[in-house]
Amino acid sequence: MSFVADQIKRADSQLDRFHLAFVSAKRRNPSDGSESEDFESQQLLKAPRIEAAVRTLSVANSSRTLLPRSTILALLNSVQSEFNNASEHELLESHAKAEQLQWLLVGKATNQVFGTVLHILLDQILPLHSDLWYWDSVLGSYQYTSLYSIQTSPLRIQNWAYDIFAEVKRRLDSTGLARTLRLPGSQPPNEAADDSPSLRHQWVSFYRLVRGSIEQRSLLQVKSAVVSPLAQIENEIREKRKGVRKLMEMSASGLGLLMDECLSFAAHHENGSTENGSEHSTVSPTKKEWKAVVEESVALIESVLIKITAEDISVPEFDEVVFSSVEVDSAQAIEPEEAGSLDTRSVLLAQRLRRILVHHIPAHIRASSDMSRKYGRPSRLIRYWLPATALLFASSTIFRIMVNRQAELIVWVRESGDTAIDFWKNWVVEPTKKVIGTIRHDKDSQVALMSKQSLEGDRASLERMVVDFAIDNPSVMGAKSLSESAIADVRAKVQEGDLTPVLKAYEKDLRKPFMGTVRGDLVRALLIQIQKTKVDVEIAMGGIDALLKSQELVFGFVGLTPGILVTVAATRYLGSLFSSRKGFRLTREQSLMVRSLRNVDRILSAAAPANKMLSYRDHGLLLCEVHVLRERASVVLPKDVLRDFIEDLEDLVDIRTGVERQAKVVDRIVWAYRRWLR
């Protein structure tokens, strides 16, 4: 509850300081010499219910700052008997001690009721911002206005039918035809009247009466409709927006008034008995000072709850009306014949708090809910009845299509699953295995265009062919026979690709191709050259094969990349459907914070230059926006930055610094937290 919790803690600590100051004073100056025992121990033993109630209502003794209304009411009811029988209770050895304990309980109960009312007002104001934005968006667009007209058309038809029914009933009662037709709610006809018209004529008269009422109603609407129907809808929207704005401003005025005036002990003490201006002056008030603050706070809470929903009070008159009511209440409380003792006043305040919890708060909630339903945005049933009706009529067709194509849908789902599984196996798993095998130099994973022993075999075969050809034809080499050194020289040249003996014989036989083919070695030389071509091709393929082997890992990753890309894209898409709500929520919270900062700047800019402090209404609106900022900041900002942001918000809501300094705080928030508000 942000600043509500801070306000409750601050007031609770002040009440504890007042009580401790009283206890310290009693210890230093005991009223009776027999009272030597510890004051708090005596209270604990003799007033267990009040002590337990005080501990429960204390903020410091509970993890929850604000207690439920039922708990506060139950605590007040539990100590009512001790309050009523206080004069006869054995606790009352010291009247001042009993009085102090009762007032402490009333003060802490008032603090809890104060926090409850603040929380209720906040819960009522924040939805009104959304309603106001809704009416602004509808009024600012011709399409939205037309859509609103269609959405609310059943309500207008219903109201028109009710008007016709009321008019027909009025005419029937005036003519006495209702009793003749024995319609519901009419007196039975006189049985002695035999000369009554026939039943047919009676119903014809009834039909003419209804038709005349409809025509008269339609004629009146036509005469009154000087503007178009769409303009009438816009006028209706403006009236609703005006009602929402009034309720929001009244609630904001009540919120700001309570925050500034309720349980404001420091302000009363500054106006009261501060003589030395010391640091502890606020914890040493006069006897009745802080108790008067509690009384005024109870009266203020009660008056605010009653006046907020009063339709005869305008926004500018609200503050004056509330303060007038509180002044009248205070004047009645201090009358001698009405005031009584302080403990009696504490009993009356406890009863008044119970009345606030039992009657005023529920009545305020009901009245605010009625006004919100009257002026707020239409219900979901009215806004979505058109698409819901269309879906209802189309549901049978959709169901029929699904039933008729049930088998096709099942096959489609099954094939989609098989496709996804095959894609995963063939394009992700298998390429991954191949890449891993390449890294580990697996023989089965190496890329090759030819076997490793193919080139060596063909080259050895070519060498043998050329050597045999040179031995069989030594004349080609210019000798009658070849020595071992000559054969070794031929073999070495063949390894280098030199086929000179074969080419010489080929050139010789080519001069006489026919004779070289029949009697020479033309065919043999040609076949050896074919073998040489085969070896050259294999050498080129070997170079390509070596290039592929050097880039084998690259090809493996190229084959794996499509599968990885598709898998990552699908995973991110599915993740965006199921887990991107956090990112969407973060963006939405950032936009809400920026919008709240804009509203804060508008509130401060709209404040009158002559006024150094904000009005109660502007202060209440500012508190609402700050509440939104603090709630959203817990999602948007990091924890270490959040502490600084809360400090800036505390400076922003401190109206004692003035409007100019508050505007500077807004500027500081904008540039200091710009990184998280984009």
Side-chain angles (χ1 to χ4, degrees), residues 127-402:
L128 294 177
H129 281 279
S130 301
D131 293 342
L132 191 62
W133 177 83
Y134 172 80
W135 291 125
D136 289 338
S137 61
V138 172
L139 193 61
S141 173
Y142 179 82
Q143 291 80 6
Y144 287 165
T145 305
S146 302
L147 179 61
Y148 172 79
S149 176
I150 297 174
Q151 290 173 342
T152 56
S153 57
L155 293 179
R156 288 192 296 276
I157 294 175
Q158 181 183 6
N159 295 333
W160 178 80
Y162 284 161
D163 294 340
I164 296 298
F165 176 77
E167 179 65 19
V168 170
K169 186 177 180 181
R170 185 186 64 80
R171 293 190 178 188
L172 287 175
D173 293 339
S174 62
T175 57
L177 189 59
R179 294 189 301 270
T180 306
L181 294 174
R182 299 185 181 182
L183 294 177
S186 60
Q187 297 293 331
N190 188 5
E191 296 180 356
D194 296 334
D195 55 346
S196 61
S198 63
L199 183 62
R200 178 176 177 275
H201 290 290
Q202 294 174 1
W203 280 105
V204 167
S205 301
F206 175 73
Y207 170 75
R208 291 176 178 174
L209 187 61
V210 173
R211 183 176 179 180
S213 300
I214 295 175
E215 291 177 352
Q216 182 179 2
R217 185 69 180 178
S218 302
L219 184 61
L220 290 175
Q221 290 180 351
V222 170
K223 290 182 178 180
S224 61
V226 181
V227 295
S228 63
L230 192 61
Q232 295 180 2
I233 297 297
E234 292 178 352
N235 185 46
E236 176 185 347
I237 295 174
R238 289 190 182 92
E239 291 296 326
K240 289 182 177 294
R241 185 180 63 173
K242 182 180 178 181
V244 171
R245 185 179 296 277
K246 179 185 177 182
L247 179 60
M248 183 181 68
E249 291 182 352
M250 293 280 283
S251 301
S253 299
L255 179 63
L257 194 149
L258 290 177
M259 284 292 298
D260 293 344
E261 304 296 336
C262 191
L263 295 179
S264 182
F265 300 104
H268 280 73
H269 184 63
E270 290 173 0
N271 297 330
S273 61
T274 57
E275 297 178 358
N276 52 7
S278 62
E279 181 182 359
H280 302 284
S281 60
T282 57
V283 298
S284 301
T286 58
K287 181 177 181 181
K288 300 181 181 180
E289 180 181 347
W290 72 271
K291 299 174 184 179
V293 174
V294 173
E295 285 185 291
E296 293 177 2
S297 300
V298 173
L300 188 64
I301 293 173
E302 186 176 15
S303 179
V304 166
L305 289 175
I306 295 174
K307 305 301 182 183
I308 280 181
T309 55
E311 296 186 0
D312 56 340
I313 300 176
S314 62
V315 177
E317 299 174 349
F318 177 77
D319 301 342
E320 183 180 354
V321 171
V322 170
F323 281 121
S324 300
S325 176
V326 173
E327 289 177 0
V328 172
D329 185 89
S330 300
Q332 293 177 354
I334 63 176
E335 292 179 0
E337 65 275 13
E338 300 271 340
S341 61
L342 285 176
D343 55 346
T344 304
R345 289 165 57 188
S346 64
V347 173
L348 295 177
L349 280 182
Q351 295 176 356
R352 197 167 185 178
L353 288 174
R354 284 195 297 273
R355 185 167 66 248
I356 291 175
L357 292 171
V358 175
H359 299 290
H360 294 314
I361 291 181
H364 169 76
I365 294 176
R366 287 193 300 268
S368 298
S369 300
D370 294 340
M371 295 183 69
S372 298
R373 284 192 298 267
K374 180 179 179 181
Y375 298 113
R377 71 173 70 184
S379 62
R380 288 187 177 89
L381 179 62
I382 296 176
R383 286 183 307 203
Y384 300 113
W385 71 267
L386 189 60
T389 304
L391 182 62
L392 180 63
F393 284 111
S395 59
S396 59
T397 304
I398 297 174
F399 181 74
R400 191 185 313 112
I401 292 174
M402 294 181 65

